[in-house]
Amino acid sequence: ELRTEQEHSTTALRLAKTSEAQCAELQVRLEDAEIVAASYGRKMIAKLEEKIRMLESELATSQVRFNETHKGALRAERRIREMEFAAEEDKKKFGRLGELADKLQEKSRVYKKQIEDAEEIAALNLAKFRKAQQQLEEAEERCTSAENIMGRVRAERAISMSRFNGL
C-alpha cells in the first residue's frame, strides 16, 4: 500500500512537475503572445491613427472643396437671377420698342397721307394758278389789244376832229 502510495505520489509529482513545466511553457508562450499582441496592437493603433489622420485630412479637403463649390453655386445662382432679371427687362424694352415702332409706323402712314393730300392740294392750286395765269395773260392781251384799238380810235377821232375843226 505504501508502495502504491509512493508510486502514486511519484506519478503525482511527475505530473505536477510536467504540469508546472507546461504551465511555465504556457506562461512564456502567453507572455510572448502578449508581447506580440501588444506590438501588433500598437502597430494597428498606429495604422488606425494614421488612417484617421488621413481621413481627417481628406475630410478637411472635401469640406474646403464643398465650401468653394457651394460659394460657386451661390454665385452662379445670383448670376442666373441677374440674367433672368436682365432678360425680363430686355423683353419689356423690346415690347416698348415694338409699341414705339408701331406708333412711328402709324405716324409715318398719317404723314404719307398728309403729304399725298398736300400734293393733291398743291397740284390743284398749281392748276388753278396756271389757269389764272393764262387768264391773266389773255386779259393782258385783250387789254393791250383794247389799248391799241383805243389808240387808233383816238387817233382817228383826233384826225376826224381836226378835219371837222379844219373844215
Side-chain angles (χ1 to χ4, degrees):
E1 225 179 266
L2 183 63
R3 194 170 248 213
T4 315
E5 281 298 318
Q6 282 179 345
E7 283 179 12
H8 191 297
S9 170
T10 316
T11 308
L13 280 173
R14 234 180 322 152
L15 283 172
K17 283 183 184 180
T18 307
S19 290
E20 283 178 15
Q22 283 178 347
C23 185
E25 183 182 329
L26 286 174
Q27 187 70 30
V28 169
R29 284 175 59 192
L30 176 66
E31 288 173 359
D32 288 344
E34 285 177 348
I35 291 171
V36 168
S39 172
Y40 182 74
R42 281 190 296 272
K43 286 180 185 177
M44 285 303 290
I45 289 172
K47 282 182 182 180
L48 290 173
E49 286 175 346
E50 180 62 30
K51 189 162 187 165
I52 288 170
R53 281 191 294 275
M54 185 178 72
L55 290 172
E56 285 174 345
S57 173
E58 286 179 17
L59 176 64
T61 304
S62 295
Q63 286 175 337
V64 168
R65 276 186 290 177
F66 171 78
N67 288 335
E68 290 173 0
T69 304
H70 184 67
K71 287 177 186 176
L74 291 175
R75 282 191 299 268
E77 286 177 6
R78 184 176 44 240
R79 181 71 178 135
I80 288 170
R81 284 192 303 267
E82 289 172 357
M83 292 178 86
E84 286 174 345
F85 179 75
E88 288 175 18
E89 288 298 314
D90 289 345
K91 190 175 179 180
K92 289 177 186 176
K93 285 179 186 176
F94 287 133
R96 287 191 299 263
L97 286 174
E99 290 172 6
L100 183 60
D102 291 342
K103 287 178 183 177
L104 289 174
Q105 284 178 344
E106 184 59 33
K107 279 186 179 181
S108 175
R109 279 189 224 113
V110 168
Y111 290 152
K112 280 183 181 179
K113 179 69 173 142
Q114 288 175 348
I115 289 170
E116 289 172 0
D117 292 346
E119 286 175 347
E120 247 180 70
I121 292 170
L124 289 172
N125 288 337
L126 183 61
K128 286 179 185 178
F129 173 75
R130 286 188 180 148
K131 184 177 179 183
Q133 190 177 19
Q134 185 181 7
Q135 288 174 349
L136 177 64
E137 288 173 0
E138 290 172 358
E140 285 176 348
E141 285 177 14
R142 283 192 306 260
C143 183
T144 305
S145 176
E147 285 177 355
N148 287 339
I149 292 172
M150 283 292 279
R152 275 187 269 155
V153 169
R154 281 186 191 151
E156 286 176 11
R157 192 170 159 220
I159 292 173
S160 105
M161 287 290 250
S162 64
R163 280 190 199 161
F164 184 72
N165 283 340
L167 252 179

